[in-house]
Amino acid sequence: MDLVLDIIVSVVSLAVVAQYSWALKAHFNSPKMPLGTVLISVVVAATTLLDIVLLWAGPQPPAATLVGLILQGFSLWLFWAAIRASRAARLKMAFDVQNPHALVTGGPYRYLRHPFYTSYLIFWIGLAIATWSLLALPPLFVIAAIYVAAALGEERKFARTAMSAEYAAYRERTGFFWPRLRV
């Protein structure tokens, strides 16, 4: 059973990372890859390799592996929902210096401002859980810090555009990476 789960997690993980890589060229619209996006790509490649090695290095509780797979599946669902919602907007890559030219508020953007980063974080959390190793946590924290920095930079860029008031109102009603709780 462990072998089957390890194979499934490995294949799903590589497929998810491949889809994220596809989006860099096929979905996001930047004239060239920004240095920050290159950094993310290097960290993603290294973290994927480390996590797959950790996955195969020792046994994990089947429940942890299944939770990891469920999170990876949810991550993919959110990723493709964000793709569908933002296709026409032709968003820029992470850390692109150009200001945004469109505000997407449909699909998952209705609830959170950065569904792509949220999907990526959910994937990495799922993979870290599936490895069941504390060694998976430092790269997860590094990736999370990079995604937070990218998202905050994008929010600052919106403040410099004609959409700044509209974005401020949007920020009031939506969550950053997680949906805003209404109490």
Side-chain angles (χ1 to χ4, degrees):
M1 179 66 160
D2 286 345
L3 176 65
V4 171
L5 288 174
D6 287 351
I7 290 170
I8 293 170
V9 170
S10 297
V11 169
V12 168
S13 297
L14 292 172
V16 170
V17 171
Q19 289 174 63
Y20 293 166
S21 298
W22 163 86
L24 286 177
K25 292 292 182 189
H27 182 73
F28 295 103
N29 184 30
S30 293
K32 66 177 196 162
M33 188 178 285
L35 185 58
T37 304
V38 173
L39 172 67
I40 291 172
S41 299
V42 169
V43 171
V44 162
T47 302
T48 302
L49 180 62
L50 172 67
D51 285 349
I52 288 178
V53 166
L54 292 173
L55 185 70
W56 287 88
Q60 303 82 23
T65 306
L66 291 173
V67 167
L69 279 170
I70 290 167
L71 288 173
Q72 288 180 326
F74 180 71
S75 164
L76 270 179
W77 172 83
L78 181 57
F79 172 79
W80 285 103
I83 290 278
R84 282 189 301 279
S86 65
R87 181 155 314 273
R90 299 295 292 165
L91 303 176
K92 302 292 180 202
M93 289 180 188
F95 296 105
D96 193 310
V97 295
Q98 296 178 352
N99 287 335
H101 57 273
L103 176 59
V104 180
T105 59
Y109 288 91
R110 181 174 174 202
Y111 304 101
L112 44 125
R113 298 188 302 275
H114 304 283
F116 282 109
Y117 297 133
T118 301
S119 75
Y120 305 155
L121 285 171
I122 291 169
F123 166 77
W124 291 113
I125 291 167
L127 186 52
I129 291 170
T131 68
W132 203 248
S133 172
L134 292 176
L135 295 175
L137 295 179
L140 173 62
F141 297 143
V142 168
I143 286 175
I146 292 170
Y147 293 153
V148 168
L152 290 173
E154 290 167 14
E155 296 208 346
R156 283 190 297 276
K157 286 184 240 171
F158 267 106
R160 298 189 300 248
T161 70
M163 299 175 285
S164 62
E166 183 181 3
Y167 193 77
Y170 174 66
R171 283 183 65 173
E172 289 297 317
R173 66 181 185 270
T174 57
F176 187 68
F177 285 163
W178 315 115
R180 188 177 296 269
L181 297 175
R182 305 284 182 212
V183 287

